[in-house]
C-alpha cells in the first residue's frame, strides 16, 4: 500500500529547503484535479516561505464544487496499491545517482 499526501510533500520540501541548496520545483498532475490543486497550492506556499493549514477553507471560485465534500485544503490518504516495480525503482535510483556523480 502506497500513498503520498500533501502533508508528506510539504515535509519533503521543508527538508529540501533546509539543505540551503538551489532548488527547482517541477509540477506534476494527479488522479484527482482538486487534490492536485490542494497539494500544489500548499507546496507553492511553503516554497514562498508561507504555509497553508490543511484546515484552510477553499475560497469560492468557478470550480468550487469540485472540492466537495470538505471544501478545505485537506486531502486525506487513501489505501492505494503501489504499482511501482522494484526494477523501476532501481532504474530510477541508478539514474539519479549517475547524475549526482557529474555535478
Amino acid at each position: 500500500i502506497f500513498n503520498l499526501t500533501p502533508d508528506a510533500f510539504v515535509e519533503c520540501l521543508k527538508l529540501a529547503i533546509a539543505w540551503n541548496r538551489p532548488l527547482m520545483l517541477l509540477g506534476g498532475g494527479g488522479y484527482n484535479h482538486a487534490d492536485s490543486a490542494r497539494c500544489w497550492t500548499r507546496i507553492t506556499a511553503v516554497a514562498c516561505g508561507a504555509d497553508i493549514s490543511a484546515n484552510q477553507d477553499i475560497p469560492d471560485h468557478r470550480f468550487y464544487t469540485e472540492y466537495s465534500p470538505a471544501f478545505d485544503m485537506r486531502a486525506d490518504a487513501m489505501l492505494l496499491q503501489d504499482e511501482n516495480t522494484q526494477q523501476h525503482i532501481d532504474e530510477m535510483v541508478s539514474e539519479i545517482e549517475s547524475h549526482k556523480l557529474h555535478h
Side-chain angles (χ1 to χ4, degrees), residues 89-101:
I89 293 169
D90 292 343
E91 289 170 357
M92 296 304 296
V93 168
S94 178
E95 181 72 17
I96 291 167
E97 287 176 342
S98 74
H99 287 287
K100 281 186 353 186
L101 296 175

Side-chain angles (χ1 to χ4, degrees), residues 1 8 13 25 31-32 43 47-48 63 65 68 74 93 100:
I1 303 299
L13 177 57
L25 302 175
Y31 297 108
N32 178 294
I43 288 170
C48 293
F63 300 105
T65 58
S68 71
R74 184 180 51 240
V93 168
K100 281 186 353 186

Side-chain angles (χ1 to χ4, degrees), residues 16-50:
I17 289 170
W19 292 335
N20 201 28
R21 305 289 299 172
L23 184 63
M24 181 186 333
L25 302 175
L26 303 174
Y31 297 108
N32 178 294
H33 291 207
D35 285 347
S36 293
R38 286 176 170 105
C39 186
W40 280 102
T41 298
R42 292 193 59 208
I43 288 170
T44 301
V46 169
C48 293

Side-chain angles (χ1 to χ4, degrees), residues 41 56-65 67 71-73:
T41 298
Q56 176 74 36
D57 289 336
I58 301 289
D60 190 17
H61 65 293
R62 188 171 80 177
F63 300 105
Y64 183 75
T65 58
Y67 293 84
F71 300 103
D72 59 23
M73 293 299 293

